[in-house]
Amino acid sequence: MGDQCEVFINDEDKPLDQESLVTALCSSEILCPTVTDSISAEVFALAEERGIRTKLLANFGVGFNHIDIEQASRLGIAVTNTPGVLTDATAEISMALLLMCARRTGEGERLVRSGAWDGWRPTHMLSTQVTGKTLGIIGMGRIGLAMAKKAHHGFGMQIIYSSRSPLEGSLAEDVGATRCELSELFQKSDFISLHCPSTSETKHLIDQEALAAMGSHAFLINTARGEVVDEDALASALGEGEIAGAGLDVYENEPSINPALLKLENLVLLPHMGSGTNETREAMGMCAFDNIQAYISGAELPNRVV
Ligand code: DGY
């Protein structure tokens, strides 16, 4: 690509601050932000004052809630993402979290490393079996479906789901999935895994009321976006035993973690690593590259969001 355009790389592998983002929008025709570069209405407004040069935001990631899409669209800036290539990697981390919190593997590992383990006992560290239980999936897109496949085919789980659109017949049959209302999903699921985007409708979808509806046997898994869960309500539900446990890969204010969450033993915490495999990160890069190449050659953008 170096022979077609001048390329500037953020070598620090860290999110750009507001001033750097504004400068980048005013100096580059194409930007390739990651999901931690917050291109808010404020950033667009500051760049607009100075004169925006960017015509394409080729996002390195599938989620694009960090970009104010309405403003991008108003300013005639195209936005693309990287769907499809991180499906299995993210579903693997969802399944890992589900197993970890059901089988208390985080607690177990901490016990062994602390030197306090005193040997096998019939009632020691009892946990919840996963096989055959009911998994409720909220958001049955690509990642939700990949999770359903792993859970159903690998662990014999029953799948119920809530999603804007129903699964096509043969796909639903393959994973034995039944669509239901959210209220029914909260009541019937042993595990709930979130795979919906972060929007104004899904903000704090998992609130105090939802957690109370889940019940003390249930577990919550979130590899979608932190904003979907009210973290204060979750910390309180976990602390009071209103739900059995939870596994999180994403947070409301990344990379800060709500201090109330850090104290809980029945919670597994991961550092937003759903798509973090070598294979997937390379594929995400190639996907962003394809969008950039299409823009340069004037072709239709393969993964256009707006
Ligand atoms: C995404 O792509 O949206 C993930 O959260 C990071 O890879």
Side-chain angles (χ1 to χ4, degrees):
M1 194 177 286
D3 56 344
Q4 290 168 311
C5 45
E6 212 179 343
V7 180
F8 299 95
I9 296 172
N10 173 10
D11 282 324
E12 286 187 40
D13 201 19
K14 285 201 306 213
L16 294 179
D17 61 22
Q18 180 167 293
E19 176 53 29
S20 310
L21 283 170
V22 172
T23 306
L25 282 168
C26 297
S27 54
S28 312
E29 192 170 337
I30 302 166
L31 272 192
C32 184
T34 74
V35 298
T36 52
D37 292 315
S38 171
I39 312 185
S40 59
E42 197 184 344
V43 167
F44 278 123
L46 289 167
E48 201 178 1
E49 268 171 38
R50 291 197 220 161
I52 297 190
R53 189 163 169 225
T54 298
K55 290 277 174 253
L56 171 66
L57 290 171
N59 186 46
F60 181 82
V62 68
F64 48 85
N65 57 304
H66 56 293
I67 300 174
D68 192 313
I69 291 296
E70 219 174 276
Q71 293 306 314
S73 173
R74 180 183 70 76
L75 293 161
I77 301 173
V79 179
T80 57
N81 68 346
T82 61
V85 295
L86 41 72
T87 306
D88 278 312
T90 308
E92 282 175 7
I93 284 290
S94 313
M95 200 65 224
L97 278 172
L98 188 153
L99 291 166
M100 284 179 80
C101 61
R103 300 304 313 273
R104 303 177 60 190
T105 59
E107 282 174 78
E109 213 225 13
R110 285 193 288 280
L111 182 71
V112 173
R113 283 184 188 274
S114 74
W117 181 41
D118 54 7
W120 190 92
R121 283 181 279 122
T123 57
H124 183 232
M125 285 218 65
L126 300 185
S127 60
T128 302
Q129 185 154 312
V130 168
T131 302
K133 296 284 168 61
T134 298
L135 170 64
I137 293 184
I138 300 183
M140 193 54 108
R142 290 185 191 86
I143 302 172
L145 180 59
M147 175 67 170
K149 283 185 185 162
K150 292 180 198 321
H152 185 68
H153 296 301
F155 294 89
M157 297 185 86
Q158 318 300 312
I159 311 293
I160 55 177
Y161 72 102
S162 154
S163 200
R164 268 179 313 194
S165 346
L167 272 179
E168 192 231 301
S170 61
L171 290 178
E173 223 170 275
D174 175 47
V175 294
T178 311
R179 191 165 173 229
C180 64
E181 293 298 325
L182 263 184
S183 52
E184 189 181 341
L185 184 138
F186 288 136
Q187 265 175 17
K188 289 193 172 161
S189 301
D190 299 304
F191 297 87
I192 291 180
S193 190
L194 304 176
H195 299 285
C196 52
S198 169
T199 63
S200 49
E201 284 104 69
T202 61
K203 174 143 176 102
H204 287 185
L205 182 73
I206 305 299
D207 58 7
Q208 197 182 2
E209 210 182 316
L211 291 158
M214 284 171 63
S216 58
H217 67 291
F219 293 84
L220 176 74
I221 311 301
N222 188 11
T223 56
R225 281 293 182 265
E227 293 81 354
V228 181
V229 177
D230 177 342
E231 287 178 353
D232 288 329
L234 177 64
S236 149
L238 287 167
E240 300 295 320
E242 278 177 40
I243 67 167
L248 305 177
D249 185 45
V250 288
Y251 306 89
E252 283 194 85
N253 298 304
E254 292 178 18
S256 305
I257 309 289
N258 184 327
L261 296 177
L262 292 171
K263 298 185 198 125
L264 297 159
E265 276 292 331
N266 53 351
L267 173 62
V268 178
L269 302 166
L270 295 180
H272 199 152
M273 56 194 274
S275 68
T277 63
N278 291 312
E279 295 86 343
T280 292
R281 288 286 158 82
E282 187 176 332
M284 286 165 71
M286 293 316 294
C287 191
F289 177 81
D290 288 345
N291 286 301
I292 294 171
Q293 273 291 2
Y295 171 82
I296 292 174
S297 60
E300 200 173 314
L301 303 174
N303 308 110
R304 189 170 185 141
V305 177
V306 287

